[in-house]
């Protein structure tokens, strides 16, 4: 098989697990990890790695040619909360990196591209429950604007140049291998660490903030399965809605209390509250189910068990 994969942003929350998963599936020398800096030991030891600035076209092209890359996963991005602090930096990183890989695909230097979108493409005027694939989209964050714009460009490159780009609107992602950075949904990871460490957590969102979320294993499975699907089955070339579970801070607390009865949560909402309030509470992902057979597997209680079991050693 001549498939050779490049992951850009391999040291981040999704990139780390995606790299390990793809190396297991396709063989470690077929999967080149890259990032602007080196990552955790398990990732660095698992196969080839390149230092790469996703916004520098020449650097990305050089690595793609040298390693004879066929498939690129672009996972480098600035997330919602950080991008509100550095709007132009967020915009430039999120857009320049996308244009670089779209250009490589247009010039047939790669065959296939995965680019992540997000529930942040939706805004305060979007229907909040069972948000459909096609609906009002008026994002109110820099991150959301960059993702919505990116979706339009992906579809454009597919229609105009036949670029095989595939995308998912990720909900908040929860994992234990690598910490997330700069997102509004990050509380749902931090809460497990603090529950084990202090039996207490101060949440930056209020108790009723219901958001769409997903355990990382499901997200990785979705990512690889959309990339491995037959080209004709991918009907949506902007980005697919994807749904795992929905909960608010009170519900995740109740789930943790089943294992740590003394655990307590308190609330100090900050600038991230209005970001969360502008996003949907639940997502209709029927098109992903229909087109490429998507099905989520892991529930809130199952996720809690996996998170606490795997993080326990760290805090003992
Ligand atoms: N998890 C992301 C964030 O909170 C949303 O895509 O920014």
């Amino acid at each position: 098989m001549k498939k050779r994969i490049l992951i850009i942003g391999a040291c981040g929350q999704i990139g780390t697990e995606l790299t390990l998963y793809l190396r297991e599936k396709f063989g470690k020398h077929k999967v080149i990890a890259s990032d602007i800096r080196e990552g955790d030991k398990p990732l660095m030891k698992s196969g080839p790695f390149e230092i790469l600035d996703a916004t520098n076209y020449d650097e990305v092209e050089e690595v793609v040619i040298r390693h004879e890359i066929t498939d690129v996963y672009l996972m480098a991005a600035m997330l919602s909360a950080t991008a509100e602090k550095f709007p132009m930096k967020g915009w430039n990183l999120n857009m320049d990196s996308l244009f670089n890989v779209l250009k490589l695909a247009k010039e047939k230097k790669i065959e296939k591209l995965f680019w992540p979108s997000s529930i942040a493409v939706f805004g305060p005027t979007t229907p909040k429950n069972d948000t459909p694939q096609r609906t009002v989209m008026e994002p109110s964050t820099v991150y959301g604007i960059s993702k919505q714009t990116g979706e339009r460009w992906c579809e454009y490159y597919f229609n105009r140049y036949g670029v095989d780009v595939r995308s998912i609107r990720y909900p908040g992602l929860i994992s234990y291998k690598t910490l997330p950075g700069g997102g509004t949904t990050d509380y749902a990871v931090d809460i497990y660490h603090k529950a084990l460490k202090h039996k207490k957590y101060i949440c930056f969102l209020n108790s009723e903030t219901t958001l769409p979320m997903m355990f990382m294993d499901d997200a990785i499975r979705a990512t690889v399965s959309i990339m491995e699907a037959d080209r004709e089955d991918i009907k949506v070339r902007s980005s697919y809605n994807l749904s795992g579970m929905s909960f608010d801070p009170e519900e995740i607390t109740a789930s943790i209390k089943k294992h740590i009865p003394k655990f307590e949560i308190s609330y100090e909402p900050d600038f991230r509250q209005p970001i969360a309030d502008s996003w949907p509470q639940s997502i209709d992902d029927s098109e992903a189910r229909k087109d490429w057979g998507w099905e989520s597997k892991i529930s809130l209680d199952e996720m809690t068990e996996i998170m606490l079991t795997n993080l326990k050693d760290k805090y003992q």
Side-chain angles (χ1 to χ4, degrees), residues 211-261:
L211 287 168
M213 301 276 189
M214 182 176 280
F215 185 57
M216 187 61 86
D217 285 18
D218 271 349
I220 298 295
R221 210 164 38 78
T223 308
V224 178
S225 84
I226 193 176
M227 278 296 266
E228 292 306 307
D230 288 342
R231 190 182 162 115
E232 313 78 65
D233 289 341
I234 308 302
K235 313 266 193 262
V236 175
R237 291 296 182 157
S238 50
S239 190
Y240 276 96
N241 273 7
L242 196 72
S243 170
M245 58 184 99
S246 285
F247 57 78
D248 64 22
E250 220 161 61
E251 288 163 322
I252 190 174
T253 300
S255 179
I256 294 173
K257 271 175 175 273
K258 290 178 191 167
H259 302 262
I260 309 174

Side-chain angles (χ1 to χ4, degrees), residues 13 78-82 117-121 143 147 169-173 180-186 211-213 275 279:
Q13 189 201 9
M78 191 185 287
L79 295 190
S80 60
T82 311
S117 186
S118 159
I119 53 163
V121 293
Y143 176 67
K147 289 295 180 187
R169 292 172 180 151
Y170 287 127
L173 297 181
T184 301
T185 56
D186 295 4
L211 287 168
M213 301 276 189
I275 302 179
W279 290 349

Side-chain angles (χ1 to χ4, degrees), residues 56 71 107 122 143 151 160 162 205 229 234 291:
N56 184 321
D71 301 5
E107 292 177 355
F122 301 116
Y143 176 67
E151 286 192 10
R160 178 96 199 260
L205 300 179
I234 308 302
D291 291 355

Side-chain angles (χ1 to χ4, degrees), residues 6 20 30 106 140 164 193 196 201 241 251 267 273 283 303:
L6 173 66
L20 298 172
K30 301 235 180 228
K106 179 187 162 198
S140 54
D164 190 357
H193 289 262
L196 287 163
Y201 181 63
N241 273 7
E251 288 163 322
Y267 300 96
Q273 185 66 47
I283 300 287
M303 177 173 82

